[in-house]
Amino acid sequence: MYELKTKETDHSVIEFIENVDNPKKREDAYKLLDIFTETTGFEAKMWGPSIIGFGSYHYKYETGHEGDAPLVGFSPRKAKHSLYFATGDDRRGELLKDFGKHTTGKACVYINKVADIDIDVLKALINQSIEFLQGLYPSK
């Protein structure tokens, strides 16, 4: 049976950020923490060893695979900050057009620094992701 690696933990978000080596990355991590907390209204929680997540939802795929995941989140990685938003909604792509300097992977949006992005668009991406996921996976 598959064991989900990224689970909510009781580790300290502040302690995790304080252990970010690069001072600029650490400063940006605190900025992101404030923006995500203010925008979502959720308390930041550690998910696995390196993702700071906000809120959660329970998913179940047709294959039977199910689990819990944060609605949105971020991780201050060595190379870039990884931002976690929902995929599958066309509005995400529209918002990213005005987001600023970034790259995308399958599910992540990567930024070098907070100064490279439009904070209002970041807040819109956060809200869009939460609305989309809560529509797909309503709370019981």
Side-chain angles (χ1 to χ4, degrees), residues 93-105:
E94 287 300 312
L95 288 167
L96 285 172
K97 288 178 183 176
D98 298 319
F99 189 47
K101 188 176 174 185
H102 73 281
T103 57
T104 56

Side-chain angles (χ1 to χ4, degrees), residues 2-46:
Y2 174 78
E3 178 70 23
L4 192 64
K5 291 179 189 153
T6 307
K7 294 180 181 175
E8 186 178 319
T9 71
D10 60 359
H11 294 113
S12 167
V13 170
I14 300 300
E15 193 174 298
F16 171 70
I17 293 174
E18 281 298 314
N19 284 312
V20 171
D21 288 338
N22 182 315
K24 295 264 187 223
K25 280 248 186 286
R26 189 169 44 248
E27 182 181 323
D28 272 355
Y30 278 117
K31 287 178 187 172
L32 290 169
L33 178 64
D34 288 344
I35 293 164
F36 275 78
T37 300
E38 177 188 308
T39 305
T40 67
F42 293 114
E43 179 184 353
K45 302 277 188 173
M46 290 302 301

Side-chain angles (χ1 to χ4, degrees), residues 75-135:
S75 183
R77 307 279 185 187
K78 280 193 192 292
K80 297 180 181 217
H81 291 282
S82 298
L83 308 178
Y84 301 95
F85 305 116
T87 58
D89 184 353
D90 293 339
R91 291 188 310 159
R92 172 185 155 140
E94 287 300 312
L95 288 167
L96 285 172
K97 288 178 183 176
D98 298 319
F99 189 47
K101 188 176 174 185
H102 73 281
T103 57
T104 56
K106 256 187 175 175
C108 296
V109 175
Y110 304 101
I111 64 169
N112 287 319
K113 56 188 182 280
V114 173
D116 289 342
I117 61 169
D118 183 315
I119 301 302
D120 290 332
V121 176
L122 173 58
K123 291 176 181 180
L125 281 161
I126 292 167
N127 287 323
Q128 172 271 327
S129 186
I130 291 171
E131 289 167 16
F132 180 68
L133 288 171
Q134 287 178 333

